[in-house]
Amino acid sequence: MSDPLEEYRRKRDFRKTNEPRGDRSDDGRRWVIQKHAASSLHYDFRLEVKGVLKSWAVPKGPSTDPGERRLAQPTEDHPIEYGDFEGVIPAGEYGAGAVIVWDRGRYRNLTTDDDGEEIPIEAALEGGHASFWLEGEKISGGYALTRIGSGGDERWLLVKMDDEEADARRRPTSTQPESVKSGRTIEEVAEEE
Ligand code: MN
């Protein structure tokens, strides 16, 4: 498929200008994982889909081990700008506690039907199964989200796919706790703000 922004990008050197590259195409949408010290600590996994961030709360955060299945509770859609939010939600407010941008990047949809044709990510999520390739600083490679349960008991599982980025020994949530936005830990953000 041709890139409608090719001419726009060709005319500009994005190392020298601060104008946006316009990366928000189907193969370059954003994702973010925010570590959130609410009443219980969790990681909010968010995928840009049709102008919003589809969101799941993952109590244990993502694993790099394909043998680990991580529970992911769906939460309400968030605005795209929320992916940059880092700070403290005040006591008494919804989700009170510190938030850091734990990892973020771009993703590509990997979901296909039996004939190998791409299923658009929004249709894949509606159908209860989506797979995608994440490019982040800590997390990369293929991941799959699969819906289990339904109605008021809707839950999903987030699982690393078995590919060259899989690593059963890494524990990035433990060994790389700091924000990719500011370098701060969630404890530092809680104290500073
Ligand atoms: Mn949260």
Side-chain angles (χ1 to χ4, degrees), residues 29 36 52 92 95 113 115 145 162 180 184 191:
R29 289 189 279 190
H36 184 187
V52 296
D113 64 19
D115 298 324
L145 267 173
D162 196 359
V180 293
R184 297 179 296 173
E191 281 168 26

Side-chain angles (χ1 to χ4, degrees), residues 34-38 40 42-46 56-58 75 78 82 89 94-95 98-99:
Q34 285 161 311
K35 186 178 180 181
H36 184 187
S40 60
H42 60 271
Y43 293 78
D44 288 297
F45 176 56
R46 310 188 197 279
W56 293 261
V58 183
T75 59
H78 279 53
Y82 201 91
I89 302 169
Y94 179 71
V99 175

Side-chain angles (χ1 to χ4, degrees), residues 31 45 63-64 103 106-108 110 131-144 158-167 170:
W31 64 273
F45 176 56
S63 176
T64 56
D103 201 8
R106 305 271 168 183
Y107 77 91
R108 279 187 294 118
L110 297 177
S131 54
F132 35 82
W133 184 274
L134 302 177
E135 288 286 352
E137 293 183 33
K138 302 170 186 173
I139 293 297
S140 56
Y143 278 80
L158 177 67
V159 183
K160 178 77 195 75
M161 293 165 71
D162 196 359
D163 56 33
E164 67 268 28
E165 299 293 343
D167 187 339
R170 276 185 71 209

Side-chain angles (χ1 to χ4, degrees), residues 26 29 49-50 54 107 109 119-127:
D26 275 5
R29 289 189 279 190
V49 177
K50 285 209 157 174
K54 291 284 173 193
Y107 77 91
N109 181 20
I119 300 174
I121 191 78
E122 51 273 24
L125 290 170
E126 272 167 35

